[in-house]
Structure formats: C-alpha cells, structure tokens
Amino acid sequence: MRVGRDQLREELRDWVRGGARGRGGRLIVEGEPGAGRTAYVREALAEAAVLGCRVRYGAADPFTAELPLRAALDCLHPRGAGRAAVIALLREARRPEQGGGAWLAATDLLVSGVEEWCARGPTLLVLDDLHRADPASLLLWRRLGRSADRLPLLLAATRRPLPRRPEVEQLCADLGAGPGGRTVRLEPLTGPESAEALRRMLRAEPGPRLREAARQAGGNPGLLRELTAHWAGFIEITRDGPEPRRGDNTGGTGGDGCEDRPDEGPGGRPGRPVPPVPPGDGPGNGRGDDREFGGFAELTVPEEELPRPPDSLPRGLGYLSRAAYTTLRHAALLGPAFTPRELALVQARSAREVLADLEEPLLAGVLEDTGEQLRFRQPALRRALYAALPRPARTALHQEAALALAEAGHDPARTAEQLLAGGALDGWAVRWLADAARSLIAAAPAAAAELLERAVGQADRADREALEGSLADAALMLRRPESARLLATLHQRATDPGARAALAFKLVSALMIEGDMARALAVTEDALAERVHSPALRLRLEACRVLALAERGCPAQAHVLAGPVVAEAARLGDPLCGAEAHHAMSFALFHLGRGRESLRHVAEGIAWARRDPEANDMRLLLLANQAEGHERFDEPQPVAAALREARELALATRSTGRLMVTEALEAEFHYRLGDWDAALAGAARADGLPVSDGWLPVVVHGLRALVHGHRDEREAARGELALLPSDAFAAPAARRYGGHVLLARALLAERAGRPADAVRELLPALADGPDEARAYERPWMLSEIVRLALECGDTATARAAVAACGRTAAALAEYPGPALALLRCEGLFAQDPRLLGRALERAERGGRPLVLGHAWEDLAVARAWHGDLAAARSALTQAVAAYAVPGARWDIARADARLRSLGVRRGSRSARRRAANGWEALTPAELKVALLVAQGRSNPEIASALFLSARTVQTHVSHILAKLQVRSRAAVAAQAAARRPGPEAAPGAVPGPGP
C-alpha cells in the first residue's frame, strides 16, 4: 500500500475483515497535510468492497461548512431519492414556524437509513477531513458512533491536527475510545522509507544524492512527491536492463501515502506530476513487484544547485493564525534550527510571547522540539518561507538580527550566520569580528573565513594585518588549498620573532596537509634555527620535524627525536603540546610498523586533547588516526567509537575540513563491513567542500567506483573514475590511498574480458617505494595480481606479486590483513586448498563480506582443480551468499563463470534450494538479525551490534517478517523460542539457526 506502513495496513485489513464478519468499530485517522490519510481510508474502502460490504465515502468541504448536514449527506447520499428527501426536510427546517423538529427529522432519517443498510449487511462509512465538517454532521457522526458497537457498522473519519475545534476534539476522543474505537496516527516516513517511496515513484534505485535531498520533505509523502516532480529535470535515470513499459500514468496512487485528494498536498496544495510510472503497477497496488524496477536514479547536480522549492508551499500554511505565520517567517531567517531565546532577541519580544505563537506550528508538526532547539521538520518549507520574503527585507532583517545577537553576547557562530546573509559589513560588524575572531574560528571556521575575507577588504591598514592573521588561522582549520600560500606571504612579511615562529608553525601544518613534506621540513628547520621564545611553540615545531622526517622515509631518526618531545610535553603540562607530542610519536611508530604502540600513543594524545577546547583540531586528527589504526587490526567496535566521537566533535565545532575526512573514513568503514549503501552516502557527504587533502577525492571517487563496479553498474563506475583530476596521484598521500582507484580500473578491465589489462592496472602495487609499501590496499592488490596473472598464464608476474606480498606481510607482521593476503597469494599460486582454507579462517574472523566471498570462491576453484566437485559446489554456494550481503553482483557472476568452466554449477546439484518461507528461507544475514529481534533488540541496537546501517536492518526485518509470514517482532520472538532446542542463549549471543 504505502511505504513504511505495512503494519498499519495489516491492522486496517483486520479491522475491515472484522466488520465484514459483523463486528462494528470506529476509526480515527490523524495526520498532517500530505501524510496520506485519504489513501489510507481508501484502502479500507477497497478491501470492504471486495468483502461485500456496503461502502460510502464523503469529504467535508471548507466552502460548505456552514450548510447543516452537508458533509454527512455527501457521504451517505451523494445522489438519489435519499438525498432529495433529506434536502426537503432541511428546507422545511429553515422556516421559522418549524422550530427544530425538521432538523431532528432529517437526522433521524439519515440514522434510520444507515440502520437499514446494516440490517442487510456490513457497512463502512468514511468521512474525510472531519475537521472541516459542519456541526450538524459532527452530531450525526456521534450518533452513528454510538450505534457502531451494536451494529455491523464500521465508521471511519480522518482529520488534521489543525485547526483545533473543541467539538471535533471531543468527538474524536469519544470515537477513538473504548474497545470498539481506535486512533491511527500517520507518522512521517523515516529516511529508508522515503528512499523506498522514491524507488517506487521513479522505478529505479535512488542514489545517495537523491536520498539525501529527499530529507527536504521531512518524511511527508505528499511533499516528497511534489519535490520529486519539481526536480524532474535534474534527475537522471540510467537503466541497466530493458526499459520498463511506459504509459501515460504520471504518478501512481497511494504507494507512498501521497495520494490524498488534489487539495491534500502539504498544506492543501494540488499535486504535481512526477516522471512517468508504468500504469497498473504504481506504488499503491500493494504488490511490491520489483521485477519492473531497474536502473539507478540520481541527481545530476549537487543538492545546493537544485531549484528553490515551489513558491506555493507557504500558501499551504493558511490554517495557521496570522501571528503564528509571522513568527514562523522570522524563525526561517535563523536557519533550519533555532532557540526560542534567539527568536525572542530578533523580534525584541519576551520568550513567553514567542512560545505562545509557536504553539500552532509545533502542534501541526511544522516545527519539532529536538531538546535544545526547535527545528523545521521540512527543510523545503523553511526555504520556501525564507524565499517568500523580498531580498531587501531579508538583508535588513539579517543585519538587525546579527546586531541583536551580538549585543546580547550570544553564540558568535549564530551572529556570524546572520552577518553572512546580511550583505556588506557595517563598521560595528568589522570591530566585532576582530574581537571575536579567535572564538569564532574555533566554533565555526568556515563562517569565520568568509567573514574575515570580507572584512580584510574593508579594514584600514592598522587592522588588516590582524585580520589577515585570523584569516590564515581559519583557512588552516578548514584545510583549504589557499592556506599555505596565504601563510607563506604572512610569514615573509612578519618581523617579530614570536610572530614569525607562530606563522612558521601554521605554514608547516598547511604544507603537511598538502603533502609537501620536503618544504615542510625545510621551514621547520629554519624556524628552529631562529630564536623561539615560547617553549610550547618550540615543542610544537619539534613535533612537526618528527612528522616530516617519518613521512620522508626516516622513521628511525624520527622515533629518536620523538622521545624528548614527549618528555618535554609532560613537563610543560600543556594539553595541546601533549596531544601533538604523542601524535608525533605515534606517527613515527606507525612508520616503523609498530601499530599497537602507535595506537597507545594515539589514545594518550586524545586524552591530552580532551582537556582543552583549543586542542579540538588535534583531537579530530588523532581520532581519525585511531579509527584507521583499529581498522587495520579488524577491530570494528573501536573504529565505530572513534568515528562517532570525531563526527560529533566536527559537527559541534563546525570543522568542515575534518568533517569531510571523517565522512570519508566512515564511508571506508561501511564499505569494508559490506554496507555499501551507507558507504556511498558517506562518500557523497565527503565530496562536499574543497579541502587541501589531496587524497580525499581519490578515496571518494575510488570508493564509489569500486562499489558500482562490484555491483556491475559499469557506467556509474566509469563516471566516478572520470571525475578524478589528471594529477590525482601527485601527492604521496594520494598514492597511499589510491588502491580503490586501481582496483576499480582492474575490475572494469576484467569485466570487459581483458584480464591482462586488469593486471597492468594493478602493477603500481608491485613497486617497493616508500609510498607504495604503505599503500592501504597493497596486500589485497597483490593477491588480485596473482589471481589475474595466473588466469592470463603470466606466472612470472604472479610469482613477483607473491614475493612482494611476503615482504609486505613481514614488514607489517602485527596486522591481520597482510597475513591473510599472503596466504591467499601462496594458495592461489599453488592452487593449495589447505592454504586457501587457512585464508578462509582468517577472512571469517575479519568480518568483511567481500573478502569472505573471495576466500570461498578461491577455495571452490582450488577444490575443483583437485577434482573435489561436491566440496567445490558447497564453497561456491558460500561465496555467493557472502557476495549477496553487500550486493556484489559482478563477483557472483565471476564466481559462477570461473566454476562453470571447471564443471561446477550452482542449483539443485550444488545445494538444496532455499525454501521460500520459514526459517530455512532466511539468508545468513537475515538469520542474525532475526535472532537479535527475538532477543528484543531495537533496530538501532541491531545496527550497532552488527555494524550495519539502520536502512539495511530495516530491509532485513521486512524480509524476515515476510518469509516467516508474521506481522510483528513479537511473533518472530515466539517462533524463535519454539525452535530453540536447549536452554536460553546468553544475552547478546547470536544462537544458531535451530533444527
């Protein structure tokens, strides 16, 4: 029926079936405009008609609300003799001499007519938009509600939260009470549910950009449909298979809860068409047939370049009072979220007055309380409210708001937001910026940089140097490409020794971010050769020297120098110095291959950094290193914890540069765990802003290309690789992170039937230079060279790759990944099932589905070579199951093809076919989720336990309910308990599948 409401749908069907068996009942459906109330009750009408019930539907009209009994009459007797008889009584009632007798007679006639219908059989009556109904119709519905308990009468009504009419509130409370009454609240769609709605509307899988943009609808199905239609010219759908049949249907009905009547968009707007949907299989059919869904739908422009929301959106708020609407428009100036105090300062009113005006938007769901702030639930609506204000008025209001916030001593970041939107800076704003620069850079470096750039152009010579210094600090914090150039200029101009030393440290940091370690080391040595009066600053420069030496291939010398730096930091007791000293030591140890020791110093550095907010940037860097370090040891829990802390800190401090790095690392983390949708979404977020980190675009586009390649989405993979600049691998760090790009290129070559070209794409991994030796994917690339080279008959290259992998594994003996890759290399080269079996054991401990799939596939091939076809079939089946977890369609096809050439096929000979229903039908991933559901875990808890995204868990739960043919999580638990062969498993354990 509609996305995310399957449980409500089943409950509705049960309610209708009970009515068809003679059991009466009352139903109130509540929801905001566009939530899908009409589609929900039409589902009941359709079900009741199929079951042979008499059905009647009507909707209250705001233009006829003053006509007595009009809403009820439109529902019960839209035409015919019954309607004429009631209208005659209503006309008679208008005569003064009749009094109230004719009114009562008309009501009695309608009630008796319903009772006659019920005497002949079950009846369903639906009155839409109860909040608009005339008082007489409300009284009639109350009388019918009392009859529903003794008659085969189903009585349903829908309503919005606003406007609030006392008589409607009382009626809904009465109808929803008691054993025969129930109230259903249609909540906003979650993120995964919105993505599924897009998939059904567009008949293609929505890409990460489109899914992210869908958040602008705030989970409102009607608004989602309207925005999708509004963006139609910016959505490209690529089909991997044949095009689905086309028709003239431009929307489908109800599948995402969007199909309210034309006046039922968010706020009563008419709906707009969306890209064509095949007729008869629209989202409202309830069948969920995926066979006609194919391809990939994605935005062709970044979200910020989409056209502004339709101008009609604010008109849908006509149900708000004038005071509430005006306050809401002022709130839109403050951004997506605000506090009542901020709004009170801007409006020069008391917080109590502001809260009184915000009561209606909160009740209507336009705003939501997040605990510390109020937030616009539908960002598109806020943007539309903001755009509705004339530009000169917006500029003036922003300037007034900035002044009010600054005079109140409010958060400088919030003041900066208003100044950025307010145009040219006034004199007071330049003075405020000079005073608040340090705190503003720490809290919001991006806003600080933009404001400082404006201020530098307006300031006189006396203030300009100080502002330029602050601008350099902001640029460094943001990791922007221009920071090194700007800092070099300031360093050359500086004459004061203290200022020169401070600028030298910042310049070295910027050069390191760019990857120019040679120049960074030279600037550091020059600065240390001069007098540095500050012990803390000298220590930080010495820490920079350690970092540069380690990166330049002298880790032993760097380690020797790092010891005194750590000791001096402990003596000084300065948190920032302590964090930087331990960072330097951890870096030297990492380059020496001593990963555990390195991680211990990373943890000590984080502990130092937590003591002082000024060390937040170093804390973010250390958290990223901590996540990477534990990732190398296949330890997902500490990786997830470090990334979570880094994300929260980067968001709190508005450190966009560090946030981009965190997003990239988190995307990598999800890729390795097999949650590729989350990986693509994270990569899309990491691709948001220009930063100095030359490796970041290599990681982002390489990761995307590799996911699309494994999913056999070749055009999308080639498109990502084409986005890489020609000098993408110029920086050493970029070459270190370039494994995904090389693997993606090799995958595409192999997929095109050119294994020799695939080998050539991976040959850089054979080099033994310092950058290549530390490449993160090098061991795995070497194992792929062995596989592909043997396929081409190039044993010399394969032997060289085995040897190179052996050297890498020896140098990185602490880490499990290189050891696994070496076992794979040696096992592939010798086609030795024993070695490949040991590689499989390591892969199973690592918990990476793609690696596990390769291990099973390699073992299947080796067993087939040795003539053990039954064992080969079994291993192939396991490989396909592992590949299915992330959706690696190309890997499944490759494994089938390799084994088919050796006489091994999947199917009835390779394994018993999976059952269609029951516990045997569950995949291994679904079984894990089902058993955690049976333990009472929530979806977020399951996602955390299994390191999956909430969307993936939600998908698994939906499949589990369908395969087990149950409707609730409690039923899953009951079935699991019935299957448990022995004592109850320990809390948190994942028991086996049972008999």
Side-chain angles (χ1 to χ4, degrees):
M1 182 186 72
R2 56 172 70 77
V3 175
R5 294 172 183 167
D6 288 341
Q7 186 65 29
L8 292 181
R9 178 190 184 192
E10 288 302 319
E11 292 172 0
L12 179 67
R13 285 181 170 175
D14 287 344
W15 183 72
V16 173
R17 289 165 186 160
R21 292 191 295 267
R23 185 174 68 239
R26 306 175 300 277
L27 174 67
I28 298 295
V29 181
E30 299 180 344
E32 65 182 345
R37 302 184 312 273
T38 301
Y40 187 72
V41 294
R42 283 184 178 172
E43 186 85 10
L45 290 166
E47 182 76 12
V50 169
L51 295 174
C53 301
R54 184 188 300 270
V55 296
R56 289 290 187 273
Y57 169 87
D61 189 332
F63 301 106
T64 58
E66 300 302 320
L67 301 177
L69 289 177
R70 178 61 183 268
L73 189 58
D74 287 347
C75 174
L76 301 177
H77 297 288
R79 64 185 67 82
R83 183 181 184 89
V86 173
I87 290 176
L89 287 172
L90 292 177
R91 286 173 178 165
E92 187 176 341
R94 295 175 64 183
R95 299 174 185 171
E97 65 272 15
Q98 288 298 321
W103 294 113
L104 291 175
T107 303
D108 290 342
L109 180 60
L110 291 171
V111 171
S112 63
V114 172
E115 291 176 345
E116 288 180 13
W117 291 343
C118 292
R120 299 173 194 162
T123 302
L124 170 61
L125 306 179
V126 175
L127 181 57
D128 220 345
D129 286 345
L130 192 68
H131 54 279
R132 293 171 171 170
D134 58 275
S137 292
L138 296 177
L139 291 172
L140 175 66
W141 222 249
R142 182 184 297 278
R143 286 186 61 182
L144 292 174
R146 294 180 186 138
S147 303
D149 290 334
R150 60 180 178 82
L151 296 173
L153 174 62
L154 295 177
L155 199 68
T158 74
R159 59 165 298 198
R160 294 183 188 175
L162 287 178
R164 295 182 71 86
R165 295 168 54 191
E167 62 272 28
V168 174
E169 298 300 315
Q170 186 59 53
L171 175 60
C172 290
D174 293 344
L175 292 177
R182 59 189 304 249
T183 300
V184 171
R185 170 75 182 176
L186 299 182
E187 300 293 346
L189 301 178
T190 64
E193 292 165 359
S194 294
E196 178 64 12
L198 284 170
R199 190 176 76 94
R200 295 190 181 187
M201 279 190 280
L202 302 173
R203 293 205 171 272
E205 192 67 33
R209 274 184 179 176
L210 184 55
R211 290 198 300 270
E212 189 67 25
R215 296 178 183 273
Q216 291 191 33
N220 184 287
L223 180 53
L224 180 61
R225 179 175 290 276
E226 186 163 358
L227 290 175
T228 304
H230 191 61
W231 299 333
F234 301 88
I235 299 175
E236 182 179 56
I237 300 178
T238 56
R239 302 287 181 187
D240 292 334
E243 286 283 329
R245 67 181 188 273
R246 295 282 181 177
D248 56 2
N249 185 338
T250 57
T253 58
D256 47 8
C258 307
E259 202 257 334
D260 276 351
R261 295 180 315 283
D263 64 335
E264 274 292 2
R269 299 177 307 281
R272 296 183 61 179
V274 297
V277 177
D281 244 354
N285 61 17
R287 294 197 298 273
D289 185 0
D290 286 352
R291 287 174 298 177
E292 299 215 6
F293 291 7
F296 185 75
E298 186 57 291
L299 293 176
T300 57
V301 297
E303 183 180 348
E304 58 271 17
E305 295 180 20
L306 287 171
R308 74 183 192 187
D311 294 337
S312 60
L313 294 193
R315 293 199 291 272
L317 298 173
Y319 55 84
L320 295 178
S321 66
R322 184 175 184 84
Y325 183 77
T326 300
T327 302
L328 203 61
R329 293 180 74 182
H330 279 93
L333 292 164
L334 293 172
F338 60 93
T339 65
R341 179 173 181 265
E342 289 171 342
L343 190 53
L345 288 171
V346 169
Q347 289 192 307
R349 302 166 66 200
S350 69
R352 180 177 300 178
E353 292 174 316
V354 168
L355 285 171
D357 287 344
L358 293 178
E359 184 178 354
E360 287 183 19
L362 282 166
L363 185 63
V366 177
L367 298 176
E368 59 183 356
D369 188 349
T370 64
E372 298 181 356
Q373 294 179 307
L374 300 180
R375 183 172 71 91
F376 281 89
R377 213 197 79 227
Q378 300 163 356
L381 181 58
R382 187 204 74 84
R383 291 179 59 203
L385 281 168
Y386 181 81
L389 288 167
R391 185 180 295 274
R394 290 203 306 264
T395 300
L397 289 170
H398 279 304
Q399 291 172 345
E400 290 179 5
L403 182 58
L405 295 173
E407 288 180 342
H410 197 58
D411 179 3
R414 298 292 279 166
T415 303
E417 290 172 6
Q418 297 301 308
L419 286 173
L420 285 172
L425 300 179
D426 291 338
W428 76 265
V430 175
R431 292 190 297 274
W432 172 86
L433 184 59
D435 294 338
R438 184 173 180 180
S439 58
L440 181 59
I441 291 169
E450 189 170 346
L451 283 175
L452 285 163
E453 284 176 337
R454 294 186 193 178
V456 165
Q458 297 179 218
D460 54 30
R461 181 173 299 179
D463 295 331
R464 187 174 299 151
E465 186 170 340
L467 290 170
E468 284 180 337
S470 297
L471 177 57
D473 290 343
L476 180 60
M477 182 77 76
L478 289 170
R479 309 170 73 84
R480 284 185 176 172
E482 67 268 22
S483 57
R485 172 184 50 78
L486 182 59
L487 284 162
T489 301
L490 295 173
H491 181 252
Q492 289 174 355
R493 291 205 313 236
T495 55
D496 178 74
R500 279 185 58 80
L503 285 167
F505 172 78
K506 295 174 185 177
L507 175 57
V508 168
S509 300
L511 292 169
M512 286 183 174
I513 292 171
E514 288 187 352
D516 191 347
M517 289 297 171
R519 190 177 166 203
L521 183 59
V523 174
T524 303
E525 298 288 8
D526 289 345
L528 288 171
E530 298 179 8
R531 292 187 60 188
V532 181
H533 297 287
S534 167
L537 185 55
R538 183 170 189 86
L539 183 144
R540 297 175 74 190
L541 284 166
E542 288 172 348
C544 288
R545 178 166 59 187
V546 171
L547 295 172
L549 284 169
E551 184 71 13
R552 293 277 294 164
C554 305
Q557 182 185 355
H559 180 246
V560 171
L561 294 173
V565 173
V566 170
E568 177 66 8
R571 189 188 69 78
L572 290 175
D574 179 77
L576 184 55
C577 289
E580 295 197 6
H582 283 285
H583 169 52
M585 176 63 84
S586 71
F587 201 66
L589 289 167
F590 166 76
H591 282 272
L592 287 171
R594 294 157 63 178
R596 286 295 180 192
E597 289 182 72
S598 175
L599 278 173
R600 283 195 290 273
H601 281 281
V602 168
E604 290 188 51
I606 292 171
W608 276 101
R610 286 178 179 146
R611 300 181 189 179
D612 188 348
E614 290 204 12
N616 278 341
D617 188 65
M618 178 53 60
R619 180 177 157 199
L620 285 166
L621 172 60
L622 287 165
L623 285 167
N625 291 348
Q626 187 177 56
E628 284 193 302
H630 285 293
E631 178 72 24
R632 285 174 170 260
F633 283 104
D634 286 343
E635 296 168 343
Q637 288 93 343
V639 175
L643 291 175
R644 184 163 50 247
E645 182 179 347
R647 167 183 279 278
E648 291 171 357
L649 181 61
L651 289 172
T653 59
R654 297 179 176 87
S655 181
T656 53
R658 295 293 186 194
L659 181 59
M660 296 299 102
V661 172
T662 302
E663 294 284 13
L665 293 176
E666 194 165 6
E668 177 78 16
F669 179 54
H670 286 301
Y671 168 75
R672 294 180 186 277
L673 291 180
D675 191 351
W676 288 355
D677 286 335
L680 288 174
R685 291 191 297 270
D687 196 22
L689 293 171
V691 293
S692 295
D693 304 84
W695 58 269
L696 193 58
V698 172
V699 169
V700 167
H701 296 299
L703 182 63
R704 285 177 177 171
L706 197 52
V707 169
H708 288 310
H710 281 297
R711 287 180 165 176
D712 210 18
E713 298 163 349
R714 284 164 283 170
E715 287 301 323
R718 283 191 282 266
E720 290 294 338
L721 294 174
L723 293 173
L724 285 169
S726 57
D727 60 346
F729 292 98
R735 293 193 291 275
R736 190 177 311 151
Y737 286 92
H740 288 332
V741 173
L742 300 182
L743 286 167
R745 289 172 177 170
L747 185 152
L748 290 173
E750 183 185 12
R751 180 68 179 85
R754 304 192 314 272
D757 289 345
V759 172
R760 279 191 287 274
E761 294 289 358
L762 295 173
L763 285 180
L766 278 175
D768 279 328
D771 296 327
E772 291 77 9
R774 294 194 301 271
Y776 288 101
E777 294 290 340
R778 190 194 187 204
W780 187 255
M781 286 190 288
L782 290 169
S783 72
E784 282 291 272
I785 289 175
V786 174
R787 179 180 68 83
L788 291 163
L790 291 174
E791 185 175 334
C792 301
D794 185 358
T795 55
T797 299
R799 185 178 291 107
V802 174
C805 195
R807 293 191 296 274
T808 302
L812 303 174
E814 279 190 312
Y815 301 110
L820 186 157
L822 179 59
L823 283 171
R824 185 184 187 222
C825 286
E826 294 174 342
L828 287 171
F829 192 80
Q831 282 301 312
D832 186 343
R834 182 183 58 84
L835 290 173
L836 292 172
R838 289 170 56 193
L840 173 62
E841 292 172 2
R842 286 181 174 268
E844 288 177 322
R845 291 197 296 269
R848 300 179 179 185
L850 186 65
V851 174
L852 182 59
H854 275 287
W856 277 114
E857 179 186 343
D858 297 336
L859 184 59
V861 172
R863 286 173 171 173
W865 270 105
H866 286 270
D868 192 350
L869 299 187
R873 291 187 189 106
S874 176
L876 173 60
T877 301
Q878 295 288 349
V880 170
Y883 287 141
V885 172
R889 291 187 289 271
W890 156 239
D891 299 88
I892 292 174
R894 183 197 59 238
D896 279 335
R898 290 179 73 193
L899 271 298
R900 192 182 304 118
S901 68
L902 297 172
V904 178
R905 296 176 181 269
R906 285 188 294 141
S908 58
R909 295 184 181 179
S910 64
R912 174 173 54 87
R913 289 187 180 275
R914 190 179 298 279
N917 296 304
W919 287 84
E920 293 75 14
L922 301 182
T923 66
E926 290 167 353
L927 180 62
K928 288 182 182 180
V929 173
L931 293 171
L932 291 175
V933 167
Q935 293 175 17
R937 306 279 190 97
S938 67
N939 282 5
E941 290 171 335
I942 296 171
S944 176
L946 298 181
F947 303 101
L948 301 173
S949 70
R951 180 178 185 271
T952 299
V953 173
Q954 176 68 30
T955 301
H956 284 324
V957 171
S958 298
H959 292 167
I960 290 163
L961 294 175
K963 290 180 180 180
L964 298 185
Q965 297 180 316
V966 296
R967 299 174 183 170
S968 67
R969 301 167 80 95
V972 175
Q975 285 197 16
R979 290 171 51 82
R980 189 176 293 120
E984 186 168 347
V990 180

